């Protein structure tokens, strides 16, 4: 386990054991629906996968390039709306729609990037928030295009016909696999970013933009590149989310809590790392879904059907997830600034140190002198 | 035949403050030019104007015969001129090796090549034993060396060093002096800002003195050391201080 963590952490090298472990985990997770098709359990997995896709997408521009956008709802929403509108109004199947929604988000990111990247630090954060808010208000206002606050309800998704098989988008299982696929794609893209010149460039800009600039890096260009990549995958997640819940309105798709959640996933898990958003997504989704919908705990067999805990959560805590987010962030920022992943690393390092220290006799002089 | 670097009547104003006024001098290929002057004389500002961080209010900068004011710093770096920072700017959460690789990646897309170049440069500045330390964990002396190693990795033709000896002890300074002289032997042109008079006299082929943004004197180290205006400027500062 510790060697796995270390090899994943060794910043830039392909590690065969880590890669095999990655494939094995994907394989195991992909088997889940073969064992349990309880809808609430599958729902949890789907929410985790979508959160991983969103968090990892944000991580490219936020974690690697260090540009803390709190306006990613803009790309999530544009993805959701593009796919839904194409499907509902023009009967364009979502597998084309998702591609177009990603393209749309990239175009939007170029516009937003060229405005907001003139600013740095907190000013950039505020500008990114306001961009997403402008788009949310526009979506509420231009009813002819978006149907405004009424939202868009999806009637049905056409089956996907391939020469080999046909997928009907009924129930949770197809969404389990599509969202898992998206999560795997975004994690892999992050890996390639970290292990390429692009990753070095992004990190250099994050650490010190002026130093990067003096060393031959064009910060404006690369911040925009990071944002474009990030926006494309955020839009893909938005599209899948919309198809899955079958209803969107401007507050669901463009709301600030969408933006905030993406940032929180990374802060809680470990910002600027490949596994951080994965860990953060698990923590955050478990927490928020347990509060919003504690019945899944019953289906998972963790609580009895008549458990008073379920009744208590439903009665008292169903809207408390935002409060818990807040508390969690404060705790993480104070006690684990590198997220849960950072905690895990420190713990592993400590255990290893202790194991390594044991064989040497205690009479050894300290190396400090 | 024009000089390697030509600074022509460069002025830079910040509101009412003239940080550089009408500064002109040339740097020849392979030369070390020392840039000295009291605190606030405008030395760092001049570096910023030369490397594209500031647009000069007026005047021109020509590098290898090409007018470069108006170019961005990254373009200037790719042309072969790069500066270090007086207030060091390590990429703190990246390793020492990664820091130098960032410099090397200007000239290649291959991480493997960049890693090799970076390892070589780390040996040159004698920091290879710290390759895998986080840059943010280095003490000041090693941070200064990292600054130098990182710019060397960009394969520059002209190096602008802004007080790379500031805050270093005797032994560390000596190391840097020897390094600068070694680089000169390899044909690298350098402009060096330094407060340590002994060091700058030893290093420089020519000295340019700035005072209150203006060029006060220019010449060989001995010429400058005996220049009346220069002595007054420095004594004046000493009395003030
Ligand atoms: N960005 C800026 N905005 C406003 N004033 C500036 C700016 N940069 C420098 N100055 C001013 O320009 C003058 C010259 O500063 P500069 O940093 O170039 O001096 P220096 O010769 O490098 O001094 P030192 O030896 O202390 O490094 C100073 O009065 C400084 O306050
Ligand atoms: Mg200075």
């Amino acid at each position: 386990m510790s060697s796995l963590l270390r090899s994943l952490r060794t910043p830039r090298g392909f590690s065969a054991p880590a890669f095999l472990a990655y494939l094995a985990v994907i394989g195991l997770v992909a088997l889940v629906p073969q064992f349990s098709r309880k809808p609430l359990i599958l729902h949890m997995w789907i929410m985790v996968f979508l959160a991983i896709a969103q968090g990892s997408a944000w991580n490219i521009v936020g974690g690697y390039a260090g540009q803390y956008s709190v306006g990613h709802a803009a790309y999530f929403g544009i993805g959701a709306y593009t796919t839904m509108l194409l499907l509902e109004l023009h009967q364009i199947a979502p597998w084309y729609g998702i591609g177009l929604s990603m393209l749309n988000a990239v175009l939007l990111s170029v516009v937003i990037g060229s405005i907001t990247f003139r600013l740095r630090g907190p000013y950039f954060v505020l500008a990114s928030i306001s961009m997403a808010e402008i788009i949310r208000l526009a979506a509420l206002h231009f009813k002819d295009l978006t149907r405004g606050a009424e939202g868009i309800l999806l009637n049905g998704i056409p089956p996907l016909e391939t020469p080999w098989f046909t997928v009907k988008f009924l129930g949770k299982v197809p969404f389990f696999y599509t969202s898992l696929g998206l999560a795997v794609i975004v994690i892999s893209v992050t890996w390639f970013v970290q292990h390429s010149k692009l990753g070095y460039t992004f990190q250099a800009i994050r650490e010190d933009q002026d130093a990067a600039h003096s060393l031959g890096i064009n910060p404006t260009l690369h911040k925009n590149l990071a944002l474009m990549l990030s926006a494309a995958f955020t839009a893909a997640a938005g599209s899948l989310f919309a198809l899955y819940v079958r209803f969107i309105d401007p507050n669901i798709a463009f709301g600030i809590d969408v933006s905030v959640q993406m940032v929180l996933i990374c802060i809680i898990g470990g910002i600027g790392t490949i596994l951080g958003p994965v860990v953060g997504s698990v923590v955050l989704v478990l927490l928020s879904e347990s509060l919003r919908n504690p019945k899944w705990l019953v289906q998972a067999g963790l609580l009895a059907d008549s458990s008073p805990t379920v009744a208590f959560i439903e009665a008292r805590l169903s809207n408390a997830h935002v409060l818990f987010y807040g508390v969690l962030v404060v705790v993480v920022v104070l006690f684990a600034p590198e997220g849960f992943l950072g905690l895990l690393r420190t713990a592993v390092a400590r255990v290893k140190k202790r194991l390594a220290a044991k064989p040497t006799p205690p009479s050894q002089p300290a190396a400090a002198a | 035949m024009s000089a390697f670097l030509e600074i022509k009547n460069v002025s830079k104003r910040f509101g009412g403050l003239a940080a550089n006024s009408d500064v002109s001098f040339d740097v020849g290929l392979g030369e070390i030019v020392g840039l000295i002057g009291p605190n606030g004389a405008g030395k760092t500002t001049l570096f910023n104007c030369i490397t594209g961080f500031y647009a000069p209010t007026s005047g021109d900068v020509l590098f290898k015969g090409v007018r470069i004011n108006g170019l961005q710093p990254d373009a200037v770096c790719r042309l072969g001129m790069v500066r270090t920072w007086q207030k060091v700017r390590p990429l703190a959460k990246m390793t020492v090796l990664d820091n130098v690789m960032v410099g090397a990646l200007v000239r290649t897309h291959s991480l493997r090549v960049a890693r090799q170049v970076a390892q070589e440069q780390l040996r040159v500045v004698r920091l290879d034993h710290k390759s895998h330390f986080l840059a943010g964990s280095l003490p000041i002396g090693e941070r200064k060396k990292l600054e130098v190693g990182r710019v060397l990795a960009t394969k520059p033709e002209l190096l602008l060093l802004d007080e790379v000896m500031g805050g270093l002890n005797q032994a560390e300074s000596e190391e840097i002096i020897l390094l600068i002289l070694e680089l000169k032997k390899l044909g690298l042109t350098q402009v060096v800002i330094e407060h340590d008079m002994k060091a700058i006299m030893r290093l420089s082929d020519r000295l340019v003195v700035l005072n209150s943004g203006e060029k006060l004197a220019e010449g060989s180290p001995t010429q400058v050391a005996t220049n009346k205006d220069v002595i007054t400027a420095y004594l004046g500062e000493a009395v003030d201080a």
Side-chain angles (χ1 to χ4, degrees), chain B:
Chain B
M1 180 56 200
S2 56
F4 200 50
L5 176 71
E6 292 173 69
I7 295 162
K8 289 185 168 174
N9 311 101
V10 166
S11 299
K12 178 67 191 174
R13 306 186 64 87
F14 295 109
L17 178 85
N20 289 146
S21 14
D22 210 20
V23 177
S24 300
F25 64 91
D26 290 348
V27 179
L29 184 65
E31 227 185 350
I32 293 183
V33 172
L35 188 57
I36 60 173
N39 290 113
K43 305 178 294 289
T44 301
T45 303
L46 189 63
F47 270 16
N48 280 321
C49 288
I50 299 172
T51 50
F53 279 93
Y54 295 156
T57 312
S58 64
D60 280 317
V61 180
L62 283 83
F63 179 49
K64 297 191 277 191
V66 186
R67 188 169 168 274
I68 59 161
N69 43 328
L71 287 189
Q72 285 291 306
D74 55 303
V76 173
C77 173
R78 267 177 265 126
L79 269 180
M81 175 157 67
V82 66
R83 58 91 61 86
T84 64
W85 299 90
Q86 175 177 353
K87 187 176 171 295
V88 289
R89 291 173 173 273
L91 308 173
K93 285 195 182 151
M94 299 171 77
T95 64
V96 167
L97 182 66
D98 283 352
N99 266 259
V100 185
M101 279 177 72
V102 168
L105 282 167
V106 185
R107 304 285 174 213
T108 173
H109 291 296
S110 153
L111 292 190
R112 200 176 45 79
V113 173
R115 192 169 292 123
Q116 273 168 8
V117 172
Q119 279 161 346
E120 265 164 49
Q121 292 311 330
L122 281 175
R123 273 194 292 279
V124 170
V125 297
R126 302 222 178 83
L127 213 51
D128 43 336
H129 60 291
K130 289 275 177 98
S131 290
H132 295 291
F133 282 61
L134 288 184
S137 73
L138 298 182
I140 181 67
E142 291 177 340
R143 285 180 191 221
K144 294 267 178 181
K145 285 187 188 175
L146 178 60
E147 280 283 322
V148 179
R150 199 167 66 177
V151 293
L152 286 177
T154 68
K155 297 275 153 78
E157 294 172 57
L158 174 56
L159 201 55
L160 306 174
L161 300 173
D162 196 347
E163 294 193 26
V164 280
M165 286 170 245
L168 301 195
N169 65 33
Q170 199 84 48
E172 289 170 326
S173 296
E174 185 63 23
E175 242 181 280
I176 299 267
I177 291 173
L178 293 178
L179 175 64
I180 292 173
L181 290 172
E182 206 174 301
L183 293 171
K184 180 192 158 114
K185 262 189 228 148
L186 297 173
L188 188 61
T189 312
Q190 299 171 80
V191 180
V192 182
I193 297 179
E194 203 47 73
H195 276 299
D196 179 348
M197 278 306 147
K198 245 195 225 154
I200 200 80
M201 292 286 171
R202 189 169 142 207
L203 284 172
S204 310
D205 298 307
R206 234 148 30 82
L207 280 180
V208 171
V209 190
L210 289 186
N211 189 30
S212 315
E214 291 172 31
K215 188 171 88 174
L216 191 64
E218 177 179 354
S220 72
T222 36
Q223 280 171 339
V224 166
T226 51
N227 184 307
K228 263 201 225 114
D229 293 337
V230 176
I231 293 166
T232 323
Y234 271 88
L235 285 182
E237 196 210 15
V239 172
D240 275 17

Side-chain angles (χ1 to χ4, degrees), chain A residues 219-241:
Chain A
T220 314
L221 173 71
H222 286 94
K223 286 194 283 188
N224 275 294
L225 280 178
L227 185 63
M228 285 158 77
L229 258 179
S230 178
F233 291 108
T234 307
S239 301
L240 267 187
F241 173 81

Side-chain angles (χ1 to χ4, degrees), chain A:
Chain A
M1 183 62 186
S2 74
S3 77
L4 168 65
L5 277 176
R6 189 166 26 123
S7 57
L8 285 174
R9 195 185 150 198
T10 306
R12 335 280 170 165
F14 176 80
S15 142
F19 182 63
L20 290 178
Y22 177 49
L23 292 184
V25 169
I26 296 170
L28 281 177
V29 172
L31 287 176
V32 165
Q34 309 306 322
F35 295 107
S36 168
R37 294 198 173 214
K38 289 181 186 157
L40 287 182
I41 306 286
L42 289 184
H43 172 75
M44 290 296 293
W45 283 100
I46 294 168
M47 296 315 279
V48 169
F49 297 151
L50 288 176
I52 291 173
Q54 290 175 61
S56 300
W58 183 88
N59 199 28
I60 295 174
V61 70
Y64 284 88
Q67 309 299 310
Y68 281 34
S69 157
V70 190
H72 262 50
Y75 314 114
F76 185 85
I78 205 96
Y81 265 93
T82 305
T83 305
M84 289 287 259
L85 286 172
L86 287 174
L87 182 57
E88 275 298 283
L89 301 184
H90 303 283
Q91 282 76 49
I92 294 175
W95 31 101
Y96 304 116
I98 291 180
L100 289 171
S101 80
M102 292 170 77
L103 191 67
N104 239 349
V106 170
L107 294 177
L108 180 65
S109 75
V110 172
V111 175
I112 292 183
S114 62
I115 299 169
T116 56
F117 282 142
R118 290 158 196 269
L119 305 169
R120 293 199 202 179
Y123 304 102
F124 169 79
V125 174
L126 291 176
S128 71
I129 295 175
S130 57
M131 289 291 142
E133 279 297 285
I134 288 169
I135 293 172
R136 184 180 67 85
L137 294 172
L140 277 168
H141 184 260
F142 294 103
K143 297 192 175 73
D144 293 343
L145 178 64
T146 64
R147 298 185 191 167
E150 195 185 304
I152 303 172
L153 187 66
L154 189 63
N155 288 311
I157 303 170
L160 169 62
E161 317 245 6
T162 71
W164 307 279
F165 56 86
T166 303
V167 185
K168 293 201 189 102
F169 283 87
L170 295 169
K172 308 244 183 236
V173 175
F175 287 102
F176 178 94
Y177 287 109
T178 37
S179 55
L180 170 63
L182 181 63
V184 169
I185 290 172
V186 188
I187 292 171
S188 309
V189 166
T190 313
W191 189 91
F192 280 107
V193 166
Q194 175 160 323
H195 294 256
S196 68
K197 177 171 174 176
L198 211 54
Y200 278 83
T201 309
F202 291 170
Q203 288 180 330
I205 292 171
R206 174 189 73 199
E207 291 302 313
D208 192 320
Q209 181 172 325
D210 289 333
H213 207 174
S214 74
L215 293 169
I217 291 169
N218 180 339
T220 314
L221 173 71
H222 286 94
K223 286 194 283 188
N224 275 294
L225 280 178
L227 185 63
M228 285 158 77
L229 258 179
S230 178
F233 291 108
T234 307
S239 301
L240 267 187
F241 173 81
L243 294 168
Y244 175 59
V245 302
R246 294 177 162 237
F247 174 76
I248 51 168
D249 68 21
N251 290 329
I252 294 175
F254 291 112
I256 189 162
D257 38 337
V258 176
S259 303
V260 171
Q261 177 169 339
M262 295 171 81
V263 183
L264 290 190
I265 286 170
C266 293
I267 291 181
I268 289 171
I271 224 160
T273 59
I274 296 174
L275 284 180
V278 178
V279 176
S281 296
V282 172
V283 173
L284 213 63
V285 170
L286 281 182
L287 181 70
S288 71
E289 293 295 313
S290 301
L291 293 174
R292 272 190 281 207
N293 195 358
K295 286 252 157 60
W296 86 271
L297 293 163
V298 178
Q299 282 201 0
L302 295 171
L303 289 176
D305 204 5
S306 55
S307 161
T309 316
V310 173
F312 176 76
I313 293 175
E314 280 187 329
R316 301 289 167 98
L317 294 176
S318 64
N319 283 314
H321 61 279
V322 181
L323 176 69
F324 277 77
Y325 281 12
V327 173
L328 196 58
V329 167
V330 171
V331 170
V332 165
V333 168
L334 283 180
F335 300 108
E338 293 188 28
F340 274 57
L341 205 60
L343 273 188
L344 203 61
R345 270 184 206 144
T346 332
V348 168
R350 211 171 281 164
V351 168
K352 264 190 356 198
K353 218 183 208 170
R354 205 165 293 165
L355 289 180
K358 246 182 200 156
T360 51
S363 62
Q364 199 110 51

